[in-house]
Amino acid sequence: MGFTRVLKRFCDKFRGDARIKAYPLGYVQRRAFSDSKIFVNGDDTVLPVLIVGAGPVGLVLSILLSKLGVKCAVLEKSMKFSKHPQAHFINNRSMEVFRKLDGLAEEIQMSQPPVELWRKFIYCTSLSGSILGLVDHMQPQDFEQVVSPISVAHFSQYKLIRLLLKQIEQLSFQFCMPECLESLNPAILRDRQILMGHECVSIDVSNNYVSVTASFLKDGKYMERDIRCNILVGTDGAGSTVRKLAGIDMKGERDLQNLVSVHFLSRDLGHYLLKERPGMLFFIFNTEAIGVLVAHDLNQGEFVLQTPFYPPQQSVEEFSPKICEELIFKLVGRDLGDIDVIDVKPWVMHAEVAEKFLCCDNRIILAGDAAHRFPPAGGFGMNTGIQDSHNLAWKIASVVKGIAPSSILNTYERERRPIAIFNTALSIQNFKAAMAVPAALGLDPTVANSVHKVINDGVGFILPSGLQRAILDGIFKIGRAQLSESLLNENNPLGASRLAKLRQIFKEGKSLQLQFPAEDLGFRYPEGAVVPDIDSAVSNSTQESPTGWRRDYIPNADPGSRLPHMNVRILSNSSSKETISTLDLISGNKVEFVLIIAPMESSYDLARAAFKVAEEFKVSIRVCVMWSAGTTTTEGVEVASETSLAPWKNYIDVMEVKKRSPTTSSSYSCSWWELCKMSETGAIMVRPDEHIAWRVKSGVDVGDPIQELKTVFSVVLDLKSTDV
């Protein structure tokens, strides 16, 4: 039975939150560890990987692991998947990851709204009032597939989960509701199961496995079962139970802002905006109300309104459907006849990163919002989490398959935690850029937050709650008065000055940004499962600090960087002229490294050495021979590589495909080695996650190639000795 039918049958019958045992914060029972391997072969009662949390990060990780042949299962505390839109921007790198998931990226592209409907942010006095500013976040190069084989997407999180569940179903995962459980065998959980309505309530770590106690509601009673696994991955969101039970603290800035999220439908509003002013985000400022409207789907009329929220003077109960409708009318500027408020959720904006991503000898791992939570500015939350899963999957698979020791998992934290810290700073900068607009209009949000803090932490305890609320309302009313038409116009000196300042902010690109190509595609791991070189060390020392402004991505092949994209044509004796991206040279279905070389004798020598060393290390490697554009004799290519690489067969010959772009630099039409800022006498070793593990910029004659490559694999796989 498909997951949709299973969920439909059971979701409405069993609801309610599972209980968490009253263990102290950080309660994880720990027993003495030995130096034994994480995985005990032949024990069917222990699941290799248990994932807690079936959001995008957990589902992507389960798919990636399954495709790599790793047995895993998922616990999800909810009885059904939320339809609250939540995250909605998928950046370039995440879309590249989705290209490896059996057509997922293509399905997202086909299902998302046309880019013309969401490429703009609009600042206005109301949705039917004056436009204060407009920012187009798409540039010509964003459509030309110059630096990536795929573009960004605007696609609501619940729709993404729906597509991920289709992938899960195609991988033969089973969705299990509490009523479906035939027994409570505490030791056995089959792989490829998603247990709905199961909440992790305790963790017990021993030498041989992690024992997870899951609570669930069955026949009106809370029951428990124990599940044994080798590795537990917490992808259970910002309030992660796994993180709390493991006693891992978050560090950073808390309580940046309190907001209420109102999910509603209105085809009338959608059709109006389609005709008059299509966009993704609408920042609305008037004397009656202030808010940000996220247009998830104008055709369907699906929106989320974000508005400031000031507890305890305000309570979420005050945001009834009727009150929310009135608020929406004030922001729209006219009545709508078909508003349907779906749900209302308060939330708090934080900017924090977990102190560590692993604990208990690498048996407990955090990913996604469980490991980091950012302001939503720039859409870094879900995207950073998806890339966590991409980094982690091949490393877990390497441990399961005996390719690498469990210590390789340490490189996950060494690589991903600095990225999370950087993205935290970048999202804060982008959030501050967003606040620059209301500040320019005379509405400095920091003033309102400061007053609220004084009331809560200072004089509030001696003032009645009604008076506290009256003070806040009075201050907010005075603030919104700055937006009156009599003040905010070109004939008023103060208003004209503020509007001029606003125009300057937009002109200089200092308002809220949507895309960050340099960070989305250009993030690099300076240490971890990589072999750094002198040039990459220099480039790391000169890395720019986050600004919150858009910067373009400049390809390079520094160790730790994502492999640059270039279209290449597969060369073979067949009549096919298939064109692929260099990113497609890396398999998504096995732990395999790729060595990219030019067709030169010294490079072929290195490739033969790589095949020999890979056999010793029991790791798969594929050689890609990169031929320059203009190579015409396919038969000669085939003979050259076959002769030079015999007896090994796992290689591919490809040729550069050059294009010319009317809007971009010559890098689009340069050679592969020029794009990588290397000589054709160089070589590049690529990891299974498409990041560069090692390179020789020029001159692959490295002395003893066998010993050199033994060192490379020992470092990348975190083996303790190169004497293999």
Side-chain angles (χ1 to χ4, degrees):
M1 180 181 291
F3 77 89
T4 51
R5 283 171 286 172
V6 172
L7 292 180
K8 184 176 181 181
R9 178 178 176 184
F10 291 104
C11 282
D12 294 332
K13 294 177 66 176
F14 300 95
R15 297 181 180 176
D17 295 327
R19 300 169 299 167
I20 298 179
K21 283 185 178 179
Y23 293 131
L25 181 64
Y27 179 88
V28 176
Q29 290 189 16
R30 296 176 175 86
R31 303 175 187 174
F33 287 104
S34 70
D35 293 329
S36 62
K37 296 180 179 178
I38 280 183
F39 292 90
V40 181
N41 295 325
D43 189 346
D44 293 334
T45 68
V46 181
L47 184 72
V49 181
L50 178 64
I51 300 167
V52 177
V57 177
L59 293 176
V60 168
L61 180 59
S62 66
I63 294 170
L64 291 172
L65 289 175
S66 296
K67 288 170 69 66
L68 292 172
V70 177
K71 294 181 178 180
C72 63
V74 184
L75 294 185
E76 170 53 47
K77 68 178 181 179
S78 299
M79 292 294 296
K80 62 179 181 179
F81 293 95
S82 172
K83 289 188 177 181
H84 198 92
Q86 295 175 284
H88 57 94
F89 179 68
I90 306 175
N91 71 17
N92 246 173
R93 187 63 186 132
S94 294
M95 287 295 284
E96 289 178 350
V97 173
F98 290 163
R99 289 179 74 246
K100 296 297 178 73
L101 301 187
D102 301 324
L104 176 61
E106 291 77 7
E107 193 164 3
I108 290 171
Q109 286 186 315
M110 290 187 297
S111 303
Q112 71 170 343
V115 67
E116 293 302 319
L117 302 183
W118 55 263
R119 61 189 292 172
K120 298 174 182 176
F121 289 179
I122 297 173
Y123 299 79
C124 54
T125 58
S126 74
L127 295 181
S128 56
S130 302
I131 292 180
L132 302 171
L134 184 151
V135 180
D136 187 343
H137 291 281
M138 301 298 288
Q139 298 184 6
Q141 60 264 38
D142 296 329
F143 302 100
E144 294 172 350
Q145 298 183 345
V146 177
V147 296
S148 176
I150 196 162
S151 299
V152 300
H154 172 43
F155 198 63
S156 301
Q157 181 172 315
Y158 79 92
K159 295 179 181 178
L160 173 61
I161 287 177
R162 189 181 297 162
L163 296 185
L164 290 171
L165 293 176
K166 285 176 59 178
Q167 296 252 336
I168 287 283
E169 187 178 21
Q170 291 166 5
L171 289 169
S172 300
F173 271 74
Q174 295 180 332
F175 289 77
C176 301
M177 297 294 180
E179 285 298 301
C180 298
L181 300 176
E182 296 178 357
S183 68
L184 293 181
N185 189 322
I188 300 177
L189 173 64
R190 295 193 304 273
D191 70 308
R192 303 201 182 201
Q193 289 189 342
I194 296 185
L195 299 185
M196 303 297 294
H198 285 65
E199 183 168 13
C200 170
V201 294
S202 71
I203 303 170
D204 182 1
V205 183
S206 70
N207 249 351
N208 298 322
Y209 53 79
V210 180
S211 181
V212 175
T213 301
S215 172
F216 59 95
L217 186 65
K218 183 178 180 182
D219 298 330
K221 297 180 180 179
Y222 282 105
M223 306 183 73
E224 293 180 349
R225 68 175 297 181
D226 292 328
I227 302 166
R228 296 173 181 172
C229 61
N230 295 121
I231 288 180
L232 174 66
V233 184
T235 61
D236 49 340
S240 172
T241 299
V242 172
R243 185 186 69 235
K244 293 173 182 176
L245 290 174
I248 299 176
D249 292 331
M250 301 286 280
K251 295 296 182 182
E253 297 185 44
R254 293 184 55 83
D255 304 328
L256 291 173
Q257 192 171 25
N258 287 270
L259 298 109
V260 166
S261 177
V262 182
H263 179 204
F264 71 95
L265 303 176
S266 173
R267 285 186 178 270
D268 283 354
L269 180 56
H271 292 162
Y272 168 75
L273 293 175
L274 279 172
K275 180 180 178 182
E276 299 295 333
R277 51 180 73 170
M280 177 192 283
L281 296 186
F282 298 84
F283 299 83
I284 309 165
F285 307 96
N286 63 49
T287 57
E288 296 295 320
I290 294 172
V292 179
L293 188 72
V294 185
H296 283 265
D297 192 326
L298 291 177
N299 280 309
Q300 297 298 317
E302 183 171 36
F303 301 92
V304 169
L305 171 64
Q306 306 282 5
T307 189
F309 174 54
Y310 295 92
Q313 290 78 23
Q314 290 180 317
S315 67
V316 70
E317 287 74 20
E318 296 177 33
F319 291 85
S320 65
K322 182 63 177 176
I323 295 297
C324 289
E325 286 182 17
E326 293 175 358
L327 178 60
I328 293 166
F329 292 153
K330 292 175 182 177
L331 295 170
V332 172
R334 64 187 184 92
D335 288 349
L336 299 168
D338 66 341
I339 290 182
D340 180 12
V341 176
I342 306 300
D343 63 13
V344 178
K345 291 184 177 181
W347 63 283
V348 184
M349 187 186 299
H350 303 293
E352 297 180 301
V353 178
E355 287 189 310
K356 53 186 177 180
F357 287 13
L358 303 98
C359 69
C360 300
D361 280 9
N362 299 344
R363 290 182 179 273
I364 299 177
I365 305 173
L366 303 179
D369 286 354
H372 43 70
R373 46 194 187 187
F374 316 131
F380 291 100
M382 181 179 70
N383 289 295
T384 304
I386 288 166
Q387 291 145 34
D388 289 345
S389 291
H390 194 222
N391 181 287
L392 183 59
W394 75 272
K395 295 174 181 177
I396 290 178
S398 295
V399 178
V400 172
K401 296 176 181 297
I403 297 169
S406 62
S407 58
I408 193 177
L409 298 175
N410 291 323
T411 68
Y412 164 69
E413 179 177 301
R414 288 165 62 193
E415 292 176 354
R416 293 304 302 169
R417 190 168 183 272
I419 298 298
I421 292 171
F422 183 91
N423 286 351
T424 301
L426 183 54
S427 63
I428 290 174
Q429 291 289 341
N430 204 27
F431 172 65
K432 290 179 178 178
M435 296 300 99
V437 171
L441 296 173
L443 291 170
D444 190 342
T446 60
V447 173
N449 291 337
S450 297
V451 171
H452 185 230
K453 182 175 177 60
V454 168
I455 292 176
N456 285 342
D457 300 339
V459 300
F461 73 97
I462 61 173
L463 298 177
S465 58
L467 183 55
Q468 293 180 38
R469 176 63 181 268
I471 292 173
L472 273 180
D473 288 345
I475 292 172
F476 297 156
K477 187 174 182 179
I478 292 172
R480 291 195 302 269
Q482 306 297 310
L483 303 170
S484 66
E485 293 183 5
S486 61
L487 177 60
L488 199 62
N489 67 78
E490 297 292 351
N491 296 321
N492 184 299
L494 179 58
S497 173
R498 288 175 174 175
L499 291 172
K501 185 176 181 180
L502 193 61
R503 287 192 294 269
Q504 191 67 21
I505 289 172
F506 295 140
K507 181 180 179 180
E508 295 178 357
K510 294 183 178 180
S511 61
L512 179 70
Q513 298 297 297
L514 177 65
Q515 288 207 71
F516 294 87
E519 290 79 11
D520 294 344
L521 297 176
F523 68 87
R524 185 169 73 84
Y525 306 134
E527 62 174 347
V530 298
V531 182
D533 57 26
I534 294 175
D535 291 320
S536 62
V538 171
S539 65
N540 183 58
S541 66
T542 58
Q543 184 178 5
E544 294 184 71
S545 299
T547 64
W549 307 346
R550 172 172 174 150
R551 293 190 297 227
D552 286 333
Y553 162 67
I554 301 174
N556 70 77
D558 288 346
S561 299
R562 155 198 170 272
L563 181 70
H565 155 70
M566 174 182 270
N567 287 326
V568 294
R569 182 164 65 86
I570 298 175
L571 300 177
S572 67
N573 287 323
S574 69
S575 59
S576 171
K577 295 185 177 181
E578 182 182 1
T579 298
I580 62 172
S581 166
T582 46
L583 297 173
D584 297 326
L585 297 169
I586 294 87
S587 173
N589 298 318
K590 56 183 174 180
V591 178
E592 181 177 72
F593 290 79
V594 172
L595 178 66
I596 303 176
I597 61 171
M600 305 176 64
E601 187 56 39
S602 57
S603 298
Y604 282 128
D605 290 342
L606 182 70
R608 289 192 296 270
F611 279 126
K612 291 178 182 179
V613 173
E615 280 189 348
E616 292 185 37
F617 279 73
K618 296 181 174 58
V619 63
S620 177
I621 189 168
R622 187 188 199 195
V623 170
C624 170
V625 184
M626 181 73 69
W627 295 78
S628 62
T631 301
T632 56
T633 310
T634 301
E635 183 177 349
V637 167
E638 289 285 311
V639 171
S641 292
E642 183 178 9
T643 302
S644 298
L645 296 175
W648 289 280
K649 301 292 185 182
N650 194 20
Y651 65 87
I652 183 172
D653 290 291
V654 301
M655 184 181 72
E656 305 162 346
V657 175
K658 293 185 179 180
K659 296 181 180 179
R660 288 199 173 274
S661 166
T663 59
T664 55
S665 67
S666 60
S667 65
Y668 195 29
S669 57
C670 66
S671 74
W672 166 252
W673 300 106
E674 289 171 339
L675 178 69
C676 294
K677 299 176 177 59
M678 293 173 57
S679 163
E680 66 176 0
T681 61
I684 298 172
M685 181 84 77
V686 190
R687 307 188 323 192
D689 62 352
E690 302 165 6
H691 282 257
I692 294 170
W694 169 77
R695 60 106 183 258
V696 179
K697 289 195 74 172
S698 62
V700 295
D701 185 4
V702 292
D704 183 351
I706 294 289
Q707 189 57 45
E708 175 72 16
L709 288 165
K710 282 184 177 182
T711 301
V712 169
F713 279 115
S714 294
V715 171
V716 173
L717 298 175
D718 205 45
L719 299 169
K720 301 303 181 185
S721 172
T722 59
D723 186 17
V724 179

